Amino acid sequence: AQSVAQPEDQVNVAEGNPLTVKCTYSVSGNPYLFWYVQYPNRGLQFLLKYITGDNLVKGSYGFEAEFNKSQTSFHLKKPSALVSDSALYFCAVRPGGGSYIPTFGRGTSLIVHP
Amino acid sequence: NAGVMQNPRHLVRRRGQEARLRCSPMKGHSHVYWYRQLPEEGLKFMVYLQKENIIDESGMPKERFSAEFPKEGPSILRIQQVVRGDSAAYFCASSPPDLAGGSSYNEQFFGPGTRLTVL
């Protein structure tokens, strides 16, 4: 069975500092990995995904993530945080073998302080 | 291209009543997923549908819950005889088919959700 772990319920960072939101996964075969962001009272919005190719994936709003197969991780990063980045972030995984059902992590609340 | 639409946005029901949640996917998307979100619990998969077919309903309770995605019209998640424990935010997501006809590597587009409160 596939699983996703987001080990931090909350991440606090000062505006202008780099941020990292952690994600590790467990899946059979090659993973398809996704990051989504959720603002209050809204649905999730897609940020970026890793399917194959370059391990460093760039996405929306200046976010990027690095796929690390040996550590089974897909951490989300941004070089300089904005207050407006404060939201709930979800990592998701699907096995590359054709299952259509993604598994989401529990979410990490990112708080960027002015 | 309008995004995924869900209605109603808020729904209040008394115990024992029926709740009907509607989802209109993005144009061109033939895959619909329903999720339930509870505070502190993240997003839980309920059911995956393609037009006129339920592909996977492994996350949906066998009793009282049903879903459909007819040839015409929105997808419907139906909860009969609601109980307080059904109170949650229900999200619908859609995705286009990939080259093989599935949707495994395509991202999902989420609606704004329906917040169900059972009194």
Side-chain angles (χ1 to χ4, degrees):
Chain A
Q2 65 215 46
S3 65
V4 174
Q6 293 182 242
E8 302 154 317
D9 290 337
Q10 186 172 300
V11 169
N12 290 277
V13 65
E15 188 174 30
N17 284 0
L19 69 88
T20 299
V21 183
K22 295 179 180 177
C23 171
T24 59
Y25 65 90
S26 174
V27 71
S28 299
N30 294 321
Y32 293 160
L33 295 154
F34 304 80
W35 274 103
Y36 292 85
V37 60
Q38 184 181 29
Y39 297 99
N41 299 313
R42 304 284 296 276
L44 279 66
Q45 297 177 34
F46 169 74
L47 277 179
L48 50 80
K49 66 181 177 184
Y50 171 82
I51 303 301
T52 187
D54 194 348
N55 289 345
L56 184 64
V57 178
K58 294 189 182 295
S60 307
Y61 312 120
F63 285 93
E64 58 188 29
E66 185 164 13
F67 170 60
N68 188 317
K69 188 172 183 177
S70 62
Q71 297 186 5
T72 61
S73 67
F74 190 57
H75 301 330
L76 181 70
K77 299 183 180 184
K78 187 173 182 180
S80 179
L82 299 172
V83 172
S84 57
D85 292 331
S86 299
L88 194 56
Y89 290 80
F90 290 94
C91 180
V93 67
R94 274 167 156 157
S99 171
Y100 306 128
I101 310 305
T103 296
F104 285 80
R106 290 166 60 94
T108 298
S109 177
L110 172 67
I111 300 174
V112 181
H113 302 276
Chain B
N1 190 1
V4 177
M5 301 180 69
Q6 288 188 251
N7 66 80
R9 293 292 307 275
H10 300 274
L11 182 60
V12 179
R13 285 287 178 267
R14 297 189 181 281
R15 282 180 296 168
Q17 291 184 320
E18 179 181 286
R20 280 193 181 225
L21 288 62
R22 294 174 186 78
C23 168
S24 296
M26 288 182 69
K27 187 176 180 180
H29 288 193
S30 55
H31 300 250
V32 166
Y33 299 75
W34 284 94
Y35 297 89
R36 178 161 65 180
Q37 185 178 38
L38 289 166
E40 313 301 324
E41 290 192 14
L43 214 60
K44 300 295 185 187
F45 164 76
M46 298 182 73
V47 61
Y48 164 46
L49 310 104
Q50 294 181 23
K51 281 285 187 182
E52 299 185 275
N53 286 306
I54 297 176
I55 307 302
D56 189 317
E57 56 184 347
S58 60
M60 196 161 64
K62 298 275 189 289
E63 305 289 330
R64 302 189 297 109
F65 285 74
S66 62
E68 63 177 9
F69 188 16
K71 185 176 180 181
E72 301 289 339
S75 175
I76 306 286
L77 179 67
R78 182 182 178 204
I79 311 173
Q80 295 178 292
Q81 300 174 349
V82 296
V83 301
R84 287 214 175 106
D86 296 331
S87 295
Y90 292 83
F91 290 94
C92 164
S94 72
S95 64
D98 59 30
L99 293 176
S103 67
S104 58
Y105 58 72
N106 286 326
E107 60 271 25
Q108 296 182 340
F109 294 78
F110 283 78
T114 293
R115 279 154 184 82
L116 173 65
T117 302
V118 180
L119 302 177

